[in-house]
Amino acid sequence: MDLKQLYQDIILEHGKSPRNFGKCDKYTHQAKGYNPLCGDKVQIYLKLNNKEKVEDLTFEGSGCAISMASTSIMTELVKGKSLEIAKKIILDFLNMIKNTKEIKTKELNDDQKTIIMSLSGVKQYPMRVKCATLAWHTLTSAIEKNKEEVNTEKVE
Amino acid sequence: MDLKQLYQDIILEHGKSPRNFGKCDKYTHQAKGYNPLCGDKVQIYLKLNNKEKVEDLTFEGSGCAISMASTSIMTELVKGKSLEIAKKIILDFLNMIKNTKEIKTKELNDDQKTIIMSLSGVKQYPMRVKCATLAWHTLTSAIEKNKEEVNTEKVE
Amino acid sequence: MDINKVKSQFPILTKKINGKSLVYLDSSNSAQKPISVLNSLDSFYKNEFSNIGRSIHSLAVNATNKFEETRESVKKFINANSKDEIIFTKNATESINLVATTFGQQNIKKGDEILISELEHHSNYVPWHYLRETKGAIIKFAPINEDGDIIIDELKKLITPKTKIIAVTHLSNVTGTIVPVKEIVEIAKKKNIPVLIDGCQSAPHIKIDVKDLDCDFYAISCHKVYGPTGVGILYAKKKWLESLPPYIGGGGMISEVKKDRITYAPLPEKYEAGTMPTAEVVAFNESIKFMNSIGIENIVKHEQQLTNYALEKLKKINSVKIIGNPKNKAGVISFIIEGVHPHDISTIVDEEGVAIRAGHHCCQILHDRLNLSATARASIGVYNTKEDIDILCKAVENCRKVFELK
Amino acid sequence: MDINKVKSQFPILTKKINGKSLVYLDSSNSAQKPISVLNSLDSFYKNEFSNIGRSIHSLAVNATNKFEETRESVKKFINANSKDEIIFTKNATESINLVATTFGQQNIKKGDEILISELEHHSNYVPWHYLRETKGAIIKFAPINEDGDIIIDELKKLITPKTKIIAVTHLSNVTGTIVPVKEIVEIAKKKNIPVLIDGCQSAPHIKIDVKDLDCDFYAISCHKVYGPTGVGILYAKKKWLESLPPYIGGGGMISEVKKDRITYAPLPEKYEAGTMPTAEVVAFNESIKFMNSIGIENIVKHEQQLTNYALEKLKKINSVKIIGNPKNKAGVISFIIEGVHPHDISTIVDEEGVAIRAGHHCCQILHDRLNLSATARASIGVYNTKEDIDILCKAVENCRKVFELK
Ligand SMILES: Cc1ncc(COP(=O)(O)O)c(C=O)c1O
Ligand SMILES: Cc1ncc(COP(=O)(O)O)c(C=O)c1O
């Protein structure tokens, strides 16, 4: 294992200066996520327009570098995409963290794929996987308008 | 260890044909004893006359050979004695089972001492000590007019 | 199944007791442990020990994974639907208390009825008795016949609209009766009554399939299944574990803790408060592997043969009386000798290195029913041999000799 | 005290983690075990194993005696009056639940108050919370100051005629605060209020004398006292154990069982239902012997030196902040690094073989009070050395490097 694989510069940078932080105006969906293992918390605000496009996507919360970076990267990549593509990206990311080697979503360009793959170092650190996936599960929950808080101990 | 030390003929004989079995007439004291480990139960009936002499002493109950023999022998040795001597014999017996080598009560003759010593084999079988002492503790309880049932798990 | 190979895995079985080779016939009480289980315990403590769950250093991650591997193995062993249905407790007694307490808290009111049987171990009676004391519940006992079988027709008659739960043993630890629990579950299901099965004696000796049984709760003690002391299991259908209140409260079973409110962790952690018997749970995986390596069918066959052999031989001894003659009987053989108290039997056979149990075996109701204050009990494990039975029978003969019976 | 001799008794401490020598600084979570404890476990299972109490064969008699020897050792270790005051449980969490449940059943009514502190572990809060839920009790939290000390004057003010029990920790598992429990017991006694002390962290690290403390209840987890997992201890004054109702119900804790009534066994069995963690209790005797062989004074001295050394060194590292600065502090050192989340700290130091814990350490109330969601915690055991601290500090420096802090 190599710490630099986990804490790539891009992660540290996102961790320190997360993008899309705060509560966006007129969000249409929102959800809360919680990782009881670390106490990490995240709240996702999603604004879908009537064409089912992600017009805005922001978050509030606190957590470790991995969790903050993952959330920040997620908002950056999903913002502006259609709902359908957003769902694809989420699935793609979760699969990548579990086992697959690469990101397949065609709608992401190579730069974006590199950004998302910067989170792949987490695979080597099983206890940290939930830090990386919390936000993504919470976004799914927001999309599905689930009332219950996402709990990393409850999702597979 | 030698089984014949534990199951001496005299014990087997008393075990099979216990003396003073049944409820005596006009008893003045009585007490119940219980050994939850084996389920052994004994009920002691004591008749003291107004000179504090043990006029009659009988028992009812069920249990292993050791417990039946010990109770039977006890009734035989204590019956007819004064209360004071009865107490001495009880103490003497309980000490013998715990550690001492012989029976000191002067009021017992050599034959009686031999009978009581036939129970000394129990010392080699720690789990059987309570079988041997149940009746004696229960007699004490009867003398002291204790209301509570004697429980071998509660006495030292 | 090569019995010598099986037996050789149990270090204690080469030991001497009172100068004689140990003949261990007290497995219903607690089973001996194979070397693989002991090696796992020892090696885990020496090389890998850490508390699980909450730390994220390498030792803790590894320990947590191993702990969860056992849960997965247990799930497969009893054919549960999900790992979330497997709760680790300290023993089967705690498993049953967990159900009685939480189910009782939610579902038992004054006058409600709890149906158990006359075969039950105190651990499947006292917890329900508490609900009688605290809630005014009524306990009914399904009667047994002279053979030691629960009379199913009588059990049916005892079911009323007030019956809230049925709790029965799968295998009696006195008569060896294998109870038709599947039939009982079917009867109960028609009236929507949940069923708890006390699987203490069955888990090591017959095949268990909770999906097939369709029971609501199933309790197991690992120390009887060739595992370490200090661990029990509660299987429960997810719907129950999700809807019942938590039991023991403390670290590990919470989600969020505030000064004015507390929320609880998801399954299975909701029911696993405080530090678990970590090393013991990890080692129990080896017990399951041991059972699987022989195969439950082979275990059943071996023990059945031995039981039949023992019954035949014992019955031939004058004044010996076997307690119970159930339709289906496993390797639990209680008996008495006319004229020799069970405690005396135990002491005398012990002299020959034979470990059996004497007493009421935590079944006073059953002993009252049979009009006995105590019995002697020889119980068979997978490691027992025909010679063990021969030595037992010789030792039983010796009781007759010592007591000069004709 | 010869630290090398002490350390050499712990097989796991020679192991490699991520290629580096293990530096185990998570003893507050669970301690490692000396070889004597592991040998006892192994040898007991291999040569002497039997269930205790109810069988009367030689194995059972021997096992029962060994089990009771541990009880006697525990009695001496904490200076209790009688063996009957020592109850074996599965962990300290169960010990506290036992008290909360049985004491609550008998003595807590709607509106009654339970006084705990902001330092408490969830295991000394959730069980009382249940009484809030089921009985309508009120829980009050004695506040702490910035240093992490309970403000005794505020605690006094929170006592009212409705205060039914006070439950406090002896040693905080976050700040290392040694709580003046004797003073608290004295305050409580004036108002006739019983006191439970959570001795989880104190038992391995400071001298315990329940007679001197005069507390009513004292809870211990054996796995933190260099013992096996799966065993806890509840000390309670005899008068409580005699008068409170039983807790877990089942085999071994009864006296007479009838269809319509049940009477319970005398102490200590009344509170020990079902098969106990027999081998683990037997092995725990070796843990006590291990502690005694060093001497608690020497343990305290060694750990105090190490704690001071660690505090000094850690404070010198830029951006490191130690949590709490109590009057009396034991070897539990929680800290944060400005700019690095505790989970990242744990992962980074783990790379150097250093095992510490990150999170809320089952103390969410305390973390809320300190306005932190998580901390990193290094906790010291008797086997730790100055080098361990040096390696920890180097690893902490590495966190700053990885995160490019100035
Ligand atoms: C202060 C304190 N109390 C209670 C506990 C609970 O102990 P256990 O998990 O062994 O039940 C712990 C340990 O986690 C503790 O540190
Ligand atoms: C049928 C039955 N139920 C319950 C128990 C209780 O198991 P444990 O003592 O392991 O809790 C036993 C074992 O003694 C048993 O034989």
Side-chain angles (χ1 to χ4, degrees):
Chain A
M1 286 190 274
D2 177 6
L3 280 176
K4 255 307 164 201
Q5 272 303 105
L6 181 62
Y7 295 110
Q8 295 182 27
D9 285 344
I10 193 165
I11 304 251
L12 293 180
E13 204 270 319
H14 271 274
K16 226 178 296 178
S17 327
R19 321 291 193 266
N20 303 306
F21 196 86
K23 196 188 281 186
C24 66
D25 256 12
K26 299 181 190 156
Y27 56 87
T28 54
H29 298 60
Q30 65 100 20
K32 276 184 193 175
Y34 180 51
N35 180 346
L37 267 187
C38 353
D40 286 359
K41 272 178 197 171
V42 69
Q43 187 137 6
I44 298 287
Y45 304 98
L46 164 69
K47 186 177 176 190
L48 276 188
N49 68 13
N50 45 21
K51 284 177 184 145
E52 295 240 305
K53 196 182 124 176
V54 177
E55 219 172 85
D56 208 351
L57 179 60
T58 67
F59 77 104
E60 289 177 334
S62 68
C64 63
I66 307 299
S67 135
M68 293 303 277
S70 184
T71 318
S72 169
I73 288 170
M74 177 187 81
T75 58
E76 223 181 30
L77 295 185
V78 169
K79 206 161 129 178
K81 302 282 189 302
S82 73
L83 184 60
E84 204 192 323
I85 294 169
K87 283 182 186 169
K88 259 206 230 171
I89 298 174
I90 295 173
L91 200 69
D92 215 7
F93 171 80
L94 292 175
N95 280 336
M96 184 275 284
I97 286 289
K98 261 194 203 146
N99 46 39
T100 53
K101 290 239 158 51
E102 48 184 315
I103 290 293
K104 289 174 208 147
T105 314
K106 287 187 215 104
E107 290 78 4
L108 291 176
N109 64 33
D110 282 356
D111 269 6
Q112 289 173 320
K113 284 185 185 168
T114 307
I115 293 181
I116 213 170
M117 285 305 286
S118 70
L119 286 158
S120 66
V122 169
K123 290 188 204 180
Q124 303 278 343
Y125 296 83
M127 285 311 252
R128 307 304 302 278
V129 165
K130 284 170 181 169
C131 307
T133 58
L134 174 61
W136 301 75
H137 287 302
T138 310
L139 177 54
T140 302
S141 175
I143 292 170
E144 293 172 356
K145 295 210 166 210
N146 290 336
K147 289 259 161 50
E148 216 185 326
E149 183 176 272
V150 170
N151 187 313
T152 50
E153 297 296 284
K154 277 184 202 165
V155 292
E156 287 302 292
Chain B
M1 286 190 273
D2 177 8
L3 281 175
K4 255 309 165 201
Q5 272 303 105
L6 181 62
Y7 295 110
Q8 296 182 26
D9 286 343
I10 193 164
I11 303 254
L12 294 179
E13 204 270 318
H14 272 272
K16 227 178 295 177
S17 328
R19 321 293 192 267
N20 303 306
F21 196 86
K23 197 187 279 187
C24 67
D25 256 12
K26 299 183 190 155
Y27 56 87
T28 55
H29 299 60
Q30 65 101 19
K32 277 184 192 174
Y34 181 51
N35 181 346
L37 267 188
C38 350
D40 285 0
K41 273 178 198 171
V42 69
Q43 187 139 6
I44 298 286
Y45 305 98
L46 165 69
K47 185 176 177 193
L48 277 187
N49 69 12
N50 46 21
K51 282 177 187 145
E52 296 242 304
K53 198 181 124 177
V54 178
E55 218 172 85
D56 207 350
L57 178 61
T58 67
F59 77 104
E60 288 177 334
S62 67
C64 63
I66 308 297
S67 134
M68 292 305 275
S70 182
T71 318
S72 170
I73 288 170
M74 176 187 80
T75 57
E76 223 181 29
L77 295 184
V78 169
K79 206 162 129 177
K81 302 282 190 299
S82 74
L83 184 61
E84 204 192 320
I85 295 169
K87 284 183 186 169
K88 258 204 230 174
I89 298 175
I90 296 173
L91 201 67
D92 215 6
F93 171 81
L94 292 175
N95 279 335
M96 184 274 284
I97 287 287
K98 260 195 204 144
N99 46 41
T100 54
K101 290 238 158 50
E102 48 184 314
I103 289 293
K104 289 172 206 149
T105 313
K106 288 188 214 102
E107 290 77 5
L108 292 176
N109 63 32
D110 282 356
D111 270 6
Q112 291 173 318
K113 284 184 187 170
T114 307
I115 294 181
I116 212 170
M117 285 304 287
S118 71
L119 285 159
S120 66
V122 170
K123 290 188 204 181
Q124 304 278 342
Y125 297 82
M127 286 310 252
R128 307 305 301 276
V129 165
K130 285 170 180 170
C131 307
T133 58
L134 174 62
W136 302 76
H137 287 301
T138 310
L139 177 54
T140 302
S141 174
I143 292 170
E144 293 172 355
K145 297 210 163 207
N146 290 336
K147 290 257 160 52
E148 216 185 324
E149 184 176 271
V150 170
N151 187 312
T152 49
E153 297 295 285
K154 277 185 202 164
V155 291
E156 287 303 292
Chain C
M1 169 186 150
D2 178 349
I3 176 64
N4 291 322
K5 223 177 108 190
V6 171
K7 185 169 171 178
S8 70
Q9 294 178 53
F10 291 79
I12 201 172
L13 297 180
T14 60
K15 294 294 167 288
K16 300 276 176 199
I17 296 293
N18 300 320
K20 307 283 167 56
S21 289
L22 170 61
V23 172
Y24 190 75
L25 288 165
D26 199 16
S27 296
S28 283
N29 196 346
S30 193
Q32 297 298 344
K33 329 298 175 199
I35 187 74
S36 57
V37 171
L38 305 187
N39 286 346
S40 165
L41 261 183
D42 200 48
S43 152
F44 183 73
Y45 278 127
K46 278 186 184 151
N47 301 303
E48 310 179 279
F49 179 74
S50 160
N51 208 336
I52 59 164
R54 295 303 163 121
S55 289
I56 57 172
H57 52 71
S58 299
L59 278 181
V61 174
N62 175 61
T64 306
N65 290 343
K66 293 215 152 174
F67 189 92
E68 293 303 321
E69 274 167 31
T70 300
R71 203 190 301 275
E72 181 67 33
S73 293
V74 172
K75 183 204 121 180
K76 285 190 192 135
F77 184 67
I78 64 171
N79 195 27
N81 267 311
S82 151
K83 275 177 62 177
D84 289 355
E85 299 178 325
I86 310 298
I87 307 294
F88 289 112
T89 60
K90 68 173 179 176
N91 53 28
T93 299
E94 189 192 359
S95 302
I96 299 172
N97 276 267
L98 191 166
V99 178
T101 304
T102 60
F103 182 88
Q105 206 173 313
Q106 194 164 82
N107 302 295
I108 300 284
K109 289 183 311 292
K110 194 169 153 65
D112 281 346
E113 295 169 8
I114 295 157
L115 180 51
I116 68 175
S117 90
E118 289 181 340
L119 286 178
E120 302 315 315
H121 189 278
H122 295 157
S123 291
N124 196 22
Y125 171 28
V126 186
W128 307 110
H129 168 73
Y130 287 171
L131 295 174
R132 184 160 63 184
E133 298 273 287
T134 58
K135 295 252 186 169
I138 292 158
I139 298 179
K140 289 185 168 176
F141 295 83
I144 57 167
N145 59 23
E146 288 302 314
D147 290 338
D149 279 311
I150 295 177
I151 309 169
I152 299 294
D153 279 344
E154 296 296 326
L155 178 142
K156 273 187 195 162
K157 282 187 213 153
L158 289 173
I159 296 178
T160 78
K162 288 202 163 278
T163 309
K164 286 289 145 60
I165 191 163
I166 299 176
V168 286
T169 189
H170 199 164
L171 203 168
S172 160
N173 63 316
V174 176
T175 57
T177 308
I178 300 176
V179 175
V181 285
K182 193 171 172 180
E183 192 182 340
I184 294 175
V185 172
E186 273 161 17
I187 294 166
K189 289 207 78 180
K190 280 187 201 132
K191 318 236 165 161
N192 246 318
I193 302 166
V195 178
L196 174 140
I197 299 174
D198 175 355
C200 262
Q201 295 298 334
S202 40
H205 302 299
I206 59 180
K207 171 128 198 71
I208 293 169
D209 183 333
V210 292
K211 227 179 277 173
D212 179 58
L213 290 176
D214 202 20
C215 58
D216 296 85
F217 306 99
Y218 202 94
I220 294 173
S221 256
C222 297
H223 68 95
K224 295 189 204 261
V225 194
Y226 311 106
T229 44
V231 200
I233 290 164
L234 173 67
Y235 159 82
K237 279 187 183 164
K238 211 168 181 172
K239 66 167 182 185
W240 288 115
L241 295 178
E242 277 170 354
S243 61
L244 292 175
Y247 183 49
I248 290 183
M253 53 73 77
I254 52 82
S255 175
E256 218 178 349
V257 176
K258 296 285 168 194
K259 277 191 175 173
D260 59 346
R261 68 178 187 279
I262 293 176
T263 56
Y264 302 108
L267 298 175
E269 280 78 16
K270 175 180 172 188
Y271 288 102
E272 294 181 352
T275 298
M276 300 300 289
T278 315
E280 293 71 24
V281 167
V282 168
F284 184 61
N285 207 353
E286 293 300 323
S287 307
I288 297 180
K289 284 185 198 160
F290 166 77
M291 297 268 300
N292 289 341
S293 75
I294 306 176
I296 188 72
E297 306 77 19
N298 295 320
I299 294 174
V300 169
K301 205 171 127 198
H302 169 69
E303 294 180 0
Q304 201 60 62
Q305 280 171 353
L306 225 50
T307 305
N308 294 341
Y309 180 71
L311 285 172
E312 248 169 66
K313 267 200 99 157
L314 280 169
K315 277 178 189 163
K316 282 193 193 130
I317 305 175
N318 261 345
S319 14
V320 167
K321 201 184 143 210
I322 308 288
I323 306 305
N325 179 32
K327 285 197 198 106
N328 292 296
K329 183 181 173 89
V332 186
I333 303 172
S334 295
F335 62 96
I336 53 173
I337 305 178
E338 228 88 49
V340 189
H341 191 277
H343 280 90
D344 297 314
I345 301 175
S346 177
T347 297
I348 295 168
V349 304
D350 186 51
E351 208 67 13
E352 307 295 322
V354 179
I356 63 167
R357 187 166 166 187
H360 52 58
H361 320 303
C362 299
C363 290
Q364 287 188 20
I365 299 297
L366 179 58
H367 279 77
D368 277 358
R369 165 68 181 78
L370 299 171
N371 236 323
L372 295 164
S373 72
T375 51
R377 180 186 73 185
S379 54
I380 287 169
V382 64
Y383 35 62
N384 285 122
T385 63
K386 274 194 162 188
E387 285 111 74
D388 289 346
I389 304 298
D390 292 338
I391 297 171
L392 166 72
C393 291
K394 237 187 87 193
V396 168
E397 289 274 12
N398 196 36
C399 297
R400 305 188 60 250
K401 227 182 288 166
V402 171
F403 273 73
E404 294 162 8
L405 300 183
K406 270 158 236 147
Chain D
M1 167 187 154
D2 179 348
I3 176 65
N4 290 322
K5 224 176 107 189
V6 170
K7 185 170 171 176
S8 70
Q9 294 177 53
F10 290 80
I12 200 173
L13 297 180
T14 60
K15 294 294 168 288
K16 299 276 177 199
I17 296 294
N18 300 321
K20 307 284 167 60
S21 289
L22 169 61
V23 173
Y24 190 75
L25 287 165
D26 199 16
S27 296
S28 282
N29 195 346
S30 193
Q32 298 297 344
K33 329 298 177 199
I35 186 74
S36 57
V37 171
L38 306 187
N39 286 345
S40 165
L41 261 183
D42 199 49
S43 152
F44 183 73
Y45 278 126
K46 279 185 183 152
N47 301 302
E48 311 178 278
F49 179 73
S50 159
N51 209 335
I52 58 164
R54 294 301 162 124
S55 289
I56 58 172
H57 51 72
S58 299
L59 277 181
V61 174
N62 175 62
T64 306
N65 290 343
K66 293 216 152 172
F67 189 91
E68 292 304 320
E69 275 167 30
T70 300
R71 204 190 300 276
E72 181 67 33
S73 293
V74 171
K75 183 203 121 179
K76 284 190 191 136
F77 183 66
I78 64 171
N79 195 28
N81 268 309
S82 151
K83 275 176 63 178
D84 289 355
E85 298 178 325
I86 310 298
I87 306 295
F88 289 112
T89 60
K90 69 173 179 177
N91 53 28
T93 300
E94 189 191 1
S95 302
I96 299 172
N97 276 267
L98 190 166
V99 177
T101 303
T102 60
F103 182 88
Q105 206 173 314
Q106 195 166 77
N107 302 295
I108 300 284
K109 290 184 309 292
K110 193 170 154 62
D112 281 346
E113 295 169 7
I114 295 156
L115 180 51
I116 67 175
S117 89
E118 289 181 340
L119 286 178
E120 300 316 314
H121 189 278
H122 295 157
S123 291
N124 196 23
Y125 170 29
V126 185
W128 307 111
H129 168 74
Y130 287 172
L131 295 175
R132 184 160 63 183
E133 298 272 288
T134 58
K135 294 254 187 170
I138 292 158
I139 298 179
K140 289 185 168 177
F141 294 83
I144 57 166
N145 59 24
E146 288 303 315
D147 290 339
D149 279 311
I150 295 178
I151 309 169
I152 298 295
D153 278 342
E154 296 295 325
L155 179 143
K156 274 188 193 162
K157 282 187 213 154
L158 290 172
I159 298 177
T160 77
K162 288 202 162 280
T163 309
K164 286 289 147 58
I165 190 164
I166 299 176
V168 286
T169 188
H170 200 164
L171 204 167
S172 160
N173 64 316
V174 176
T175 57
T177 309
I178 299 176
V179 175
V181 285
K182 192 171 174 181
E183 192 183 340
I184 294 174
V185 173
E186 273 162 18
I187 294 166
K189 290 208 78 180
K190 282 190 198 127
K191 319 237 163 158
N192 246 319
I193 302 166
V195 177
L196 174 141
I197 298 174
D198 175 354
C200 263
Q201 296 297 334
S202 40
H205 302 299
I206 59 180
K207 172 131 196 67
I208 294 169
D209 183 333
V210 292
K211 229 180 275 173
D212 179 58
L213 290 177
D214 201 21
C215 57
D216 296 84
F217 306 99
Y218 202 95
I220 293 173
S221 255
C222 297
H223 68 93
K224 295 190 204 260
V225 194
Y226 311 105
T229 43
V231 199
I233 291 164
L234 173 67
Y235 159 82
K237 280 186 181 164
K238 212 169 181 171
K239 65 167 184 186
W240 288 114
L241 295 177
E242 276 171 354
S243 61
L244 292 175
Y247 183 51
I248 291 184
M253 54 73 77
I254 52 81
S255 174
E256 219 179 350
V257 176
K258 296 285 170 196
K259 277 192 176 173
D260 59 347
R261 68 178 187 280
I262 293 176
T263 56
Y264 303 107
L267 299 175
E269 281 78 15
K270 175 180 171 188
Y271 288 102
E272 294 181 352
T275 298
M276 300 300 287
T278 315
E280 292 71 23
V281 168
V282 168
F284 184 60
N285 208 351
E286 294 300 323
S287 307
I288 296 180
K289 284 185 197 158
F290 166 77
M291 296 269 298
N292 289 340
S293 76
I294 307 177
I296 187 73
E297 307 76 19
N298 295 321
I299 294 174
V300 169
K301 204 171 128 198
H302 169 69
E303 294 180 1
Q304 201 60 62
Q305 280 171 353
L306 225 50
T307 306
N308 294 339
Y309 180 70
L311 286 172
E312 244 169 69
K313 267 197 98 155
L314 280 169
K315 278 180 191 163
K316 281 195 194 129
I317 304 175
N318 261 346
S319 13
V320 167
K321 201 183 143 210
I322 307 289
I323 306 304
N325 178 33
K327 283 198 199 105
N328 292 296
K329 183 181 174 89
V332 187
I333 303 172
S334 295
F335 62 95
I336 54 172
I337 305 179
E338 227 88 48
V340 189
H341 190 278
H343 279 90
D344 296 314
I345 301 175
S346 177
T347 297
I348 295 168
V349 303
D350 186 49
E351 208 68 11
E352 308 295 322
V354 180
I356 64 168
R357 188 167 165 186
H360 53 57
H361 320 302
C362 299
C363 290
Q364 287 188 20
I365 300 297
L366 179 58
H367 279 76
D368 278 358
R369 165 69 181 78
L370 300 171
N371 236 322
L372 294 164
S373 72
T375 52
R377 180 185 73 185
S379 54
I380 287 168
V382 62
Y383 34 63
N384 285 121
T385 63
K386 273 194 161 185
E387 284 110 74
D388 290 347
I389 304 299
D390 292 338
I391 296 170
L392 166 70
C393 291
K394 236 185 88 194
V396 168
E397 288 276 13
N398 197 35
C399 297
R400 304 188 60 250
K401 228 183 285 168
V402 170
F403 273 73
E404 295 161 8
L405 299 183
K406 269 156 235 147

